[in-house]
Amino acid sequence: MAVWSVLCDFDGTVSTSDATDTLLEAFGKPGWQEIEAEWLAGRIGSRVCMQQQIACLDASKEELDEAIDAIDVDGAFAAFVDAIIAHGWELSIVSDGLDYAIRRILQRHRLPALPFYANHLVQTGARTWKLDSPYAADTTCYSASGLCKCAFAHRARAAGNKVLMIGDGRSDFCVAGNVDFVFAKNNLITYCVDKCLPHIPVFGFDDAIRMIPELAEFEPTLI
Ligand SMILES: [Mg+2]
Ligand SMILES: [Zn+2]
């Protein structure tokens, strides 16, 4: 039986909205949209984009907490995690988002203390913040992201596991080509179709749970 390492995106995949976007829309000083446009045009990577945008935040910790506490999660995520663990497989959250938001959202929804890797949000003053990226790896990942999801995929495969990526968007594009199978939401579906990557489209973790028996029987095909 295949042994899977599941790498799971957070924003837009576990959470139903993107925490960074939510915070910028609520507390971003003028200028953060122009930085976003530079990123969308491909002139800067997501790491530089997010570092500059987080420097535009003007919010107290209490204000951030209140906004983060309004972010919801996929109601079937906890059951999916339980099913993965019941198979003896492992699941990590790999996110190009904010560690502070992920920790708070997981705790508020009483989700298990999952291993997660993300950018590190640091408070530098009463209303100022900066972003550190302890998991960046410009040399192995073309996406110039704050967190190199590809490095996590390579590590799991080196340990002999099959790697499943679950994600929804641009921060998952690069890694989607470096795993055995993808559960794709939203923009990631189109990307997987265009690049002929082995995947199934999912609307959420209800669909993902139904696919678990097929993972157990998985035979490598294209990769
Ligand atoms: Mg996402
Ligand atoms: Zn990559």
Side-chain angles (χ1 to χ4, degrees):
M1 193 174 90
V3 175
W4 287 90
S5 284
V6 181
L7 301 179
C8 189
D9 173 54
F10 189 82
D11 290 282
T13 300
V14 176
S15 70
T16 51
S17 54
D18 185 296
T20 309
D21 291 348
T22 300
L23 297 180
L24 286 168
E25 279 158 17
F27 307 114
K29 288 185 283 192
W32 73 266
Q33 292 100 333
E34 286 76 5
I35 301 166
E36 187 88 359
E38 289 287 291
W39 171 64
L40 287 171
R43 287 190 285 271
I44 55 173
S46 69
R47 172 154 66 123
V48 171
C49 175
M50 284 187 55
Q51 278 174 348
Q52 293 182 353
Q53 287 182 322
I54 293 299
C56 292
L57 276 183
D58 175 15
S60 68
K61 183 175 174 302
E62 291 69 27
E63 286 170 329
L64 286 197
D65 287 350
E66 196 181 335
I68 290 168
D69 287 350
I71 295 174
D72 221 339
V73 301
D74 183 314
F77 178 64
F80 178 79
V81 172
D82 287 346
I84 291 295
I85 290 169
H87 277 80
W89 301 338
E90 56 185 32
L91 182 145
S92 312
I93 291 171
V94 288
S95 164
D96 202 15
L98 308 173
D99 62 351
Y100 183 79
I102 294 171
R103 187 177 300 112
R104 192 170 173 92
I105 291 167
L106 289 178
Q107 281 173 356
R108 191 171 64 90
H109 290 273
R110 295 195 166 71
L111 289 164
L114 295 165
F116 73 89
Y117 307 92
N119 298 295
H120 182 42
L121 184 68
V122 185
Q123 187 163 20
T124 55
R127 305 185 61 82
T128 55
W129 303 82
K130 79 168 173 125
L131 192 72
D132 286 342
S133 296
Y135 303 105
D138 284 340
T139 49
T140 59
C141 182
Y142 74 73
S143 68
S145 56
L147 175 136
C148 180
K149 297 189 183 187
C150 295
F152 291 89
H154 292 320
R155 206 170 302 150
R157 291 184 102 178
N161 294 349
K162 298 263 169 265
V163 182
L164 170 72
M165 180 69 212
I166 308 176
D168 73 313
R170 192 182 270 239
S171 76
D172 311 305
F173 286 1
C174 185
V175 68
N178 287 309
V179 296
D180 296 285
F181 203 75
V182 180
F183 287 0
K185 277 177 81 174
N186 295 342
N187 295 339
L188 187 58
I189 300 172
T190 320
Y191 182 84
C192 289
V193 169
D194 287 349
K195 303 284 180 189
C196 300
L197 300 175
H199 75 284
I200 54 148
V202 295
F203 288 105
F205 285 97
D206 268 334
D207 290 341
I209 290 169
R210 280 194 286 275
M211 289 301 296
I212 288 177
E214 306 210 18
L215 287 179
E217 303 301 322
F218 183 83
E219 293 292 335
T221 52
L222 295 172
I223 293 177

